[in-house]
Amino acid sequence: MAEVVVIGAGLSGTLMAYELLPQLRKEDRLSVVSQGAVYHFVPSNPWVAVGWRKREEIEIDLADVMKRKGVRLLTQGARRVHPTENHVELGDGTSIDYDYLVVATGPELAFDEIPGLGPKGHTQSICHVDHATHAREAFEKLAANPGPVVIGAVQGASCFGPAYEFLFILETELRRRKLRDRVPMTFVTSEPYIGHLGLDGVGDTKGLLESEMREKHIKWITNARVENVAPGLMSVEEFADDGTSRKAHELPFAYSMMLPAFRGVEAVRGIEKLTNPRGFVVVDKHQQNPAFPNVFAVGVCVAIAPVGATPVPVGVPKTGFMIESMVTATAMNIGALLRGKAPTAQPTWNAICLADFGDSGVAFLAQPQIPPRNVNWSSKGEWVHLAKVAFEKYFLRKMRRGESEPFYERFLLDRLNIAKIKEVRTGT
């Protein structure tokens, strides 16, 4: 019998559990460690923040799903991983031993790295449904007393897509309420150019997003480092491409949503050979940690080097389909190890993204996500908004059913030639 443990029950952790089950032998046991039993669909948070969704519409109680699937759900959370001893210390002081561990915790939000940043400071966030709910309350205050808005992502951030989404969703809602003419909008980002996305762009994301901003009268500041945030005022330093300081900005705001930088969670941060200095888990091409081969990692907690040097630090995003490819490879590799075989599955890290703008949107396909790419495509239109709504409903349905990749999804991806696992060629 083998004890397989997954830490985290967000997107990557929940999918990890669903994909691991078919790989286990009858005598093996799967446990998922999470902070509570409720899963929420993070991509819907921008809609929650403007009142287009209620939080209960995007939440799932995992207790019944996991019980039905035969997975042990431990809701006290993980306090510390002890990889040399093969056990995880839990939040209530108890512990669980493992033969194989998958770290799928997601990140810790580093609001504290910038004075005044975050929901406990003076800016809003959409990283968690609790934050999005709070952001909705702040938005209603803005609607009652309109003023300047500052949206964006700070230095070290790696999740830029939701910042663009929220910028345009907010703009759409302001137009619907006939308030847009009273709300100047500025986008502040650490990216070297609009549409960089931490990926050096995908297709013509630069042109598409700049065009959208010009059309909607949104100003922007790139290569931006947020120094501090005071009530109603953000101090930003803008850098030139050569890294020299170009201009200081004092930006007044009545409402601001800024995405923070991420770091690894406390349960793994600072463990030598397991994580990098930022606390992200180091993995090889099989999603396996080189120093502790019975430890794997998937999702936002994985260490990925930036795509290139930038004047202001910019991280690499881990998009949904990219994460799903990590999950599938990891499940296959643990299944192989359980049967005495070496891991061989390698994720493609392909990326499919739908960025909703409320009444239109931008979609991109990157194969793989990190350049150079075999496919490098982007497009915009009303169809993206409709596709995002449909995907939300579909994804929540399959999560409630305890499914990772139904046969019809697999068929569609095969027809589109979008793979999760690399085709590994051997010499002849």
Side-chain angles (χ1 to χ4, degrees):
M1 171 184 171
E3 182 77 54
V4 183
V5 175
V6 177
I7 305 177
L11 170 70
S12 55
T14 305
L15 287 176
M16 192 72 251
Y18 297 165
E19 291 229 12
L20 272 169
L21 285 170
Q23 297 289 340
L24 302 182
R25 302 163 301 180
K26 289 183 179 180
E27 66 270 23
D28 299 325
R29 182 167 67 171
L30 175 61
S31 300
V32 173
V33 180
S34 71
Q35 295 281 358
V38 178
Y39 166 86
H40 79 274
F41 187 58
V42 173
S44 294
N45 284 347
W47 293 339
V48 173
V50 295
W52 295 357
R53 292 290 186 278
K54 297 179 180 178
R55 67 177 297 159
E56 56 266 25
E57 294 178 296
I58 65 165
E59 290 183 330
I60 299 171
D61 186 348
L62 291 176
D64 291 339
V65 182
M66 293 296 182
K67 182 178 180 180
R68 189 172 69 248
K69 301 291 288 186
V71 178
R72 182 171 60 155
L73 181 64
L74 304 174
T75 58
Q76 55 267 62
R79 182 179 296 170
R80 193 67 171 171
V81 172
H82 297 274
T84 58
E85 302 166 18
N86 296 323
H87 78 267
V88 180
E89 182 183 353
L90 303 179
D92 61 358
T94 62
S95 65
I96 180 172
D97 295 329
Y98 63 81
D99 294 290
Y100 295 98
L101 175 70
V102 182
V103 182
T105 58
E108 183 174 286
L109 308 175
F111 292 117
D112 59 296
E113 293 181 344
I114 299 174
L117 186 72
K120 293 183 179 180
H122 310 296
T123 63
Q124 305 301 319
S125 164
I126 52 169
C127 295
H128 191 278
V129 70
D130 290 344
H131 299 165
T133 302
H134 187 271
R136 164 73 193 285
E137 296 170 0
F139 173 66
E140 293 302 331
K141 292 178 181 178
L142 171 71
N145 187 21
V149 164
V150 177
I151 306 295
V154 307
Q155 58 270 23
S158 58
C159 193
F160 297 95
Y164 286 103
E165 276 197 300
F166 187 65
L167 173 76
F168 291 114
I169 287 171
L170 187 70
E171 197 275 343
T172 299
E173 181 62 15
L174 288 169
R175 279 190 284 112
R176 290 176 180 176
R177 298 193 187 197
K178 301 187 186 307
L179 296 171
R180 180 65 182 89
D181 60 317
R182 301 168 62 189
V183 181
M185 300 183 74
T186 304
F187 189 73
V188 175
T189 178
S190 53
E191 300 162 275
Y193 59 83
I194 293 298
H196 180 279
L197 301 171
L199 298 170
D200 201 12
V202 181
D204 189 29
T205 48
K206 182 180 189 293
L208 291 174
L209 290 169
E210 282 190 356
S211 174
E212 199 77 13
M213 287 188 178
R214 289 191 184 97
E215 182 180 326
K216 292 186 163 112
H217 306 285
I218 298 170
K219 297 179 180 179
W220 66 78
I221 303 171
T222 55
N223 282 331
R225 176 185 292 275
V226 177
E227 298 297 329
N228 61 76
V229 186
L233 186 67
M234 185 180 299
S235 298
V236 175
E237 186 174 8
E238 180 184 358
F239 289 82
D241 290 340
D242 63 2
T244 59
S245 180
R246 180 178 180 182
K247 187 177 181 181
H249 300 265
E250 296 292 323
L251 303 175
F253 63 85
Y255 181 98
S256 177
M257 194 293 297
M258 297 294 293
L259 296 180
F262 294 162
R263 61 185 172 225
V265 299
E266 190 174 351
V268 295
R269 194 168 64 242
I271 299 177
E272 188 177 358
K273 296 183 180 180
L274 180 66
T275 58
N276 69 6
R278 191 71 184 167
F280 294 110
V281 182
V282 177
V283 296
D284 63 13
K285 61 186 178 182
H286 303 299
Q287 301 298 135
Q288 188 176 25
N289 179 259
F292 303 101
N294 64 338
V295 177
F296 292 76
V298 296
V300 182
C301 67
V302 170
I304 301 179
V307 297
T310 54
V312 178
V314 170
V316 176
K318 289 90 171 183
T319 57
F321 191 82
M322 178 189 190
I323 291 172
E324 290 191 50
S325 77
M326 294 181 186
V327 166
T328 298
T330 299
M332 294 173 66
N333 287 331
I334 290 177
L337 288 166
L338 289 170
R339 290 161 180 80
K341 300 178 181 178
T344 58
Q346 299 178 32
T348 58
W349 285 14
N350 289 334
I352 308 170
C353 185
L354 300 170
D356 174 49
F357 293 170
D359 52 8
S360 65
V362 168
F364 67 75
L365 174 61
Q367 296 184 324
Q369 178 167 295
I370 309 299
R373 304 184 178 109
N374 296 312
V375 178
N376 188 42
W377 171 87
S378 60
S379 181
K380 74 173 183 177
E382 183 181 357
W383 68 271
V384 180
H385 168 71
L386 298 174
K388 184 67 175 277
V389 172
F391 178 74
E392 175 203 49
K393 298 184 183 306
Y394 165 73
F395 193 87
L396 285 169
R397 179 178 180 272
K398 78 172 185 177
M399 294 295 274
R400 291 188 180 100
R401 291 170 61 91
E403 297 177 327
S404 174
E405 188 184 61
F407 74 92
Y408 43 84
E409 179 182 329
R410 188 160 53 250
F411 173 79
L412 178 61
L413 291 172
D414 286 344
R415 295 288 290 179
L416 294 173
N417 197 29
I418 302 173
K420 292 181 179 178
I421 302 300
K422 285 184 179 181
E423 181 182 346
V424 180
R425 294 181 172 87
T426 56
T428 57

